[in-house]
């Protein structure tokens, strides 16, 4: 599924369709910023060949960031990173162990193959998208301006917050 008409700059991949409830927040954020992206389900253990093919071709396909989400023994991001030098951002999905297993599987990559790991669940899904946009903004002033506007709006909401009597 390609969500924008132009070539995707960001690839959002997840180990299972059950991860979508979390990863829709990543896709929504990219959509809000008008970033072309693609969302796909692929699993490091259930469909390893698909993961390999996707990762090997990501750079030639013009992808500049890959966001990989998985839960449990969450090796998807690490496997993708093994095949590509495109930056890989990892989102740990909540699991029967509350996502601690997913987080540790992702964040504890041995030195040499980096994976940038975000918070468990919705916050991580949101921040992975915002971080990807920051990466793209390095060479795209329109995304930089949108990020500034996003921060302004976010601050405004905090300043205008009313507490109950
Ligand atoms: C992981 O196993 C997926 O990323 C998912 O978070 C978890 C459970 O997958 P399902 O059994 O719901 O397909 O590979």
């Amino acid at each position: 599924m390609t969500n924008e008409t132009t070539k995707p700059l960001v690839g959002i991949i997840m180990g299972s369709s059950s991860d979508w409830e979390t990863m829709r927040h990543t896709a929504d954020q990219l959509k809000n910023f008008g970033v072309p992206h693609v969302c796909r389900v692929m699993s490091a253990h259930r469909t390893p060949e698909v993961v390999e093919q996707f990762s090997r071709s990501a750079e030639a396909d013009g992808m500049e960031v890959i966001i990989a989400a998985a839960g449990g023994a969450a090796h998807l991001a690490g496997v993708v990173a093994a095949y590509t030098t495109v930056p890989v951002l990892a989102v740990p999905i909540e699991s029967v162990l509350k996502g601690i297993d997913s987080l540790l599987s992702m964040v504890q990559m041995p030195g040499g193959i980096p994976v940038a790991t975000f918070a468990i669940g919705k916050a991580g899904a949101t921040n992975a998208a915002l971080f990807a946009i920051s990466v793209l903004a390095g060479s795209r002033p329109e995304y930089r301006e949108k990020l500034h506007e996003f921060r302004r709006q976010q601050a405004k909401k905090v300043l205008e917050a009313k507490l109950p009597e």
Side-chain angles (χ1 to χ4, degrees):
M1 164 177 65
T2 301
N3 306 85
E4 304 283 337
T5 45
T6 42
K7 250 183 153 185
L9 293 173
V10 179
I12 302 173
I13 61 174
M14 60 209 85
S16 169
S17 57
S18 65
D19 300 333
W20 177 243
E21 266 320 295
T22 302
M23 295 314 292
R24 69 187 321 138
H25 299 290
T26 306
D28 286 350
Q29 209 60 252
L30 293 177
K31 205 169 170 190
N32 289 342
F33 279 79
V35 175
H37 59 282
V38 64
C39 300
R40 288 186 55 187
V41 176
M42 61 186 76
S43 163
H45 46 275
R46 291 167 176 156
T47 62
E49 295 88 357
V50 176
V51 172
E52 178 182 352
Q53 192 191 25
F54 174 87
S55 312
R56 282 191 190 279
S57 62
E59 190 178 336
D61 289 345
M63 242 167 248
E64 296 187 25
V65 182
I66 295 169
I67 300 174
H75 35 250
L76 179 61
V79 170
V80 172
Y83 285 115
T84 183
T85 57
V86 173
V88 177
L89 316 185
V91 179
I93 298 293
E94 282 184 39
S95 63
V96 288
L97 299 181
K98 308 285 182 204
I100 294 294
D101 43 354
S102 324
L103 172 67
L104 293 178
S105 303
M106 289 171 157
V107 81
Q108 286 296 100
M109 281 297 288
I113 303 293
V115 165
T117 304
F118 288 79
I120 298 167
K122 181 181 172 184
T126 302
N127 281 344
L130 292 171
F131 193 92
I133 296 162
S134 303
V135 171
L136 298 173
S139 58
R140 294 173 182 83
E142 69 275 20
Y143 293 153
R144 178 76 64 208
E145 181 41 45
K146 284 181 183 182
L147 279 171
H148 284 302
E149 181 55 23
F150 177 87
R151 296 279 180 104
R152 281 193 287 270
Q153 292 305 324
Q154 189 167 242
K156 190 165 171 267
K157 274 187 209 157
V158 173
L159 294 171
E160 290 173 359
K162 298 263 184 291
L163 295 175
E165 295 292 310

